[in-house]
Amino acid sequence: MIAFDRFTDALDYPMYVVTAEADGERAGCLVGFGSQCSMRPVRFMVWLSELNRTCRVASRAGRLAVHLLRRDQEELALVFGGETGDRTDKFAQVAWRAGPGGVPVLDEAPAWFTGRVVERFPGHGDHVGFLLAPEEVHHPADGNFPFLPLSAAIGIPPGHPVD
């Protein structure tokens, strides 16, 4: 699919940190596949790798939190993208608080929302989709900020292999 690779290489969409909590277990990961997918009702879809511990925790969670990072927050992205929760407690390395339903909310994230998991979709590939109904939303009052794009995160070695 080299032609498709060239198409997707032209995209520079935002990266997100998605966090989950279920049965006292917390997880979070850096995610590149996510987007609003409905206006009425408002819905957001995020896709998590089946290899990722976050996917396993999220499969039992009632809510997820989706965080946007600023372009200058590569270190925070590295914690959630370059480490695996199977070996590392990522939340011991960052400031966070329990949001609605106990879902971890990262204190340093300038924008985030928590969403109730409406439905889960097998991706018929290597990711599972989580359809979210946004509940609590936080965005800076001063408007837009330079978010962390794929191009800034592409060099982060994944905590789990992607192949």
Side-chain angles (χ1 to χ4, degrees):
M1 283 302 245
I2 292 178
F4 189 68
D5 288 345
R6 283 196 298 264
F7 177 86
T8 58
D9 287 349
L11 304 174
D12 203 13
Y13 42 81
M15 298 296 290
Y16 307 96
V17 172
V18 174
T19 58
E21 187 281 334
D23 306 317
E25 185 178 5
R26 291 181 303 273
C29 63
L30 188 65
V31 173
F33 301 140
S35 179
Q36 183 174 347
C37 59
S38 176
M39 292 170 44
R40 290 192 188 96
V42 174
R43 295 289 185 263
F44 191 93
M45 180 71 85
V46 64
W47 296 89
L48 302 177
S49 169
E50 292 176 340
L51 298 176
N52 198 306
R53 180 173 174 270
T54 304
C55 188
R56 295 190 302 271
V57 174
S59 70
R60 303 186 323 264
R63 288 178 177 79
L64 302 179
V66 179
H67 306 80
L68 271 175
L69 304 182
R70 288 186 318 273
R71 187 183 248 313
D72 65 352
Q73 292 182 296
E74 292 93 356
E75 289 297 319
L76 189 55
L78 185 59
V79 169
F80 285 93
E83 306 269 348
T84 173
D86 292 325
R87 293 188 298 268
T88 303
D89 180 359
K90 299 175 188 183
F91 296 95
Q93 301 177 50
V94 301
W96 66 277
R97 67 185 179 288
V103 67
V105 173
L106 305 179
D107 291 346
E108 293 181 43
W112 53 268
F113 77 90
T114 59
R116 180 178 48 80
V117 177
V118 175
E119 198 167 343
R120 294 169 179 88
F121 296 91
H124 305 288
D126 55 5
H127 284 65
V128 174
F130 292 81
L131 182 64
L132 305 176
E135 295 178 320
E136 186 173 331
V137 179
H138 172 80
H139 195 277
D142 61 355
N144 294 329
F145 58 90
F147 61 81
L148 180 75
L150 172 66
S151 61
I154 199 80
I156 296 174
H160 280 288
V162 292
D163 291 325

